[in-house]
Every structure is written in C-alpha cells, then in structure tokens.
Amino acid sequence: MSFGENLRRERELRGISLHEIAEATKISARFLHALEQDRLEVLPGGLFPRAFVKQYARYLGLDPEKVAAEFQYLHAEELPETRPVPRPPRWSPPPGALFLGALAVVAVVLLLSYRRSSSEPPVRAGQTAPTSIPAVLPSDRVYPPPTPTPAPTPASAPGEGLVLTLTAQQSCWVEVRADGQTVINRVLNEGETETLAAQGELVLSVGNAGGIVFRVNDRPGVPLGRTGEVRRNIVITKDNLPSLVQDAATAAAAHSS
C-alpha cells in the first residue's frame, strides 16, 4: 500500500471527507486528492508538499512529524532539494589589532593594581593586616531553595468516576476525550481492548459503530449503531449513564444468546 493510500485509509476509517479537511486546513481539495494519489507533480514546489502532509496528518489526529518524515523518505527523489542559506562573511580584525588590544588590557590591569596598592595603609610592625569582610555572608542564600515536589494525586477509589472499556470486534477508529482532554485518537485493531477513566465526563467518537462494544463501570453498553456507521460526540456522564448501559436482565439475555 502506497503512502497516499495509507492516508486515504486513515481518513476513511475516521469517516472524514476531503472537503472537511480542505475547509479546516484551507488547502485546496485538489491538492489533498493529489496527495492521496501520490501525484506530487500536481502539488506546488518548495516546502509546500511537506507542509500539506503535516496539516493533513494533524487534522486526522496522527503524529505530523512522523508522517512528514515518512513522506520525505518515500518521495526523496521527487522532492526538490533545499539549498542552505549562505552565511554572511565573518569580520576579521586588521593585522596587529589583537596584539595592540592585549597590550592595552595588560596596561589597564597594571594601572589598577598600582592604584590599589598605593591606596592601602601600611601595616605597622606587630599589627596584623585587616581581614577583608566576605562579600557573601554565611547566612546569605546564593541559590533559591529547591521547590518541594508535590505529592502525586491519589488514584480514584473503586466506584468513583467513570471507567470506559472499549473492545474492537472489527478494526475501528476511536477518539475519547476524558474531562476535556483527548486520551486516545487512533484505530483499534480487531480483538484489541482499551480502558480509559475520567472523573466527570467521557466523550466517545467511533468510525465503525457496529465494530466495537463498550462497558462503563463494568456494565455492558447499548449498541452504538450499524457496521460502518460513524458516531460522533457520544457524551457519557454519571447522570445519563443509565440510558447508555444495559440493565441486568437485558445483559443476561444478550449473553445467553
């Protein structure tokens, strides 16, 4: 499978159209279609192809740097080489300037040493030269005290919050946001299971509703839809949980069948 075919497969698994990506990234749908067909001659030159790939990957939730590096590796011969920007010539001091500068520094040092020695009062016989006061007292703090490391937040006790378990019966793209943070955005392969937790809210999106089953707090969930159906932004909270999970009788009947 070529690079462009892989891109198209990832997009279709998520139920996303080229028009949707074009609207979000402001990249012409013609260029996006050319990426999926590996037709680099249609794309503008320079750094544009790599930038298009990174924006495409970022919108799908893929690693943009990794996808762009794979694109660069597979199409290295077709992409124009980037010439380094020439550096401006470095300035060189005229001959003898360094020697004169060194002499000037030595002269200043000798002059300061002479003035310092002439300004100090002579030490009489039997007297001890005064000890200079240290610039930094022992009680002074040269560096700020280390910041104490906060204790880790204890994990939620059993029965608290929401625990979502996803099991893929067919390959299916899933995205889950837990309390507003995206915790998974990838394709689950057949037979793969993921367990995710949140304190107050889970938002689930799937690209193949009939190819995945779920459990919330160890209770089986209701069917999400048909095979190939895209379902987005299914909100799961403690309040609406009874409507999203099966009761004991329904779950037992489904298990026996």
Side-chain angles (χ1 to χ4, degrees):
M1 185 177 292
S2 69
F3 177 82
E5 290 171 340
N6 277 326
L7 281 184
R8 186 178 68 253
R9 176 178 177 272
E10 293 290 342
R11 174 178 62 80
E12 291 175 347
L13 283 172
R14 289 159 172 76
I16 298 174
S17 67
L18 277 180
H19 179 73
E20 184 178 344
I21 302 178
E23 286 290 326
T25 62
K26 307 306 178 186
I27 301 174
S28 169
R30 173 171 169 264
F31 293 153
L32 297 176
H33 189 62
L35 276 179
E36 292 187 348
Q37 292 186 330
D38 297 294
R39 298 179 56 197
L40 270 62
E41 71 277 3
V42 178
L43 304 176
L47 301 177
F48 284 102
R50 182 181 172 88
F52 290 168
V53 169
K54 292 176 70 173
Q55 292 184 63
Y56 187 114
R58 186 178 293 109
Y59 188 80
L60 294 185
L62 305 174
D63 185 341
E65 296 297 336
K66 181 179 178 181
V67 176
E70 180 183 357
F71 172 75
Q72 183 78 24
Y73 174 77
L74 294 175
H75 296 287
E77 297 182 357
E78 304 170 63
L79 295 174
E81 296 182 359
T82 304
R83 297 181 179 179
V85 179
R87 296 183 178 180
R90 298 180 60 183
W91 177 81
S92 300
L98 294 177
F99 177 73
L100 293 177
L103 286 180
V105 171
V106 172
V108 170
V109 171
L110 292 176
L111 179 60
L112 292 176
S113 300
Y114 172 76
R115 288 184 176 180
R116 181 178 179 182
S117 61
S118 61
S119 62
E120 294 178 353
V123 181
R124 296 181 181 180
Q127 291 184 345
T128 304
T131 304
S132 59
I133 301 175
V136 179
L137 298 178
S139 61
D140 290 344
R141 294 182 183 270
V142 179
Y143 298 101
T147 304
T149 303
T153 304
S156 300
E160 294 183 1
L162 299 166
V163 178
L164 171 67
T165 302
L166 299 170
T167 301
Q169 297 178 329
Q170 303 171 4
S171 293
C172 176
W173 166 77
V174 298
E175 180 189 60
V176 178
R177 297 195 300 274
D179 298 324
Q181 299 293 324
T182 300
V183 291
I184 185 173
N185 183 352
R186 67 180 182 90
V187 176
L188 291 184
N189 295 318
E190 182 178 349
E192 192 173 358
T193 298
E194 279 283 354
T195 301
L196 310 153
Q199 289 297 322
E201 181 185 81
L202 290 161
V203 181
L204 171 65
S205 297
V206 297
N208 179 10
I212 197 162
V213 294
F214 72 99
R215 302 178 70 89
V216 182
N217 293 353
D218 207 27
R219 298 173 62 184
V222 300
L224 294 177
R226 302 182 305 276
T227 300
E229 182 181 358
V230 177
R231 293 290 309 277
R232 293 182 180 274
N233 301 325
I234 304 170
V235 179
I236 305 173
T237 64
K238 296 178 183 178
D239 295 333
N240 71 352
L241 186 57
S243 65
L244 295 173
V245 295
Q246 303 176 26
D247 55 32
T250 304
H255 182 72
S256 61
S257 61

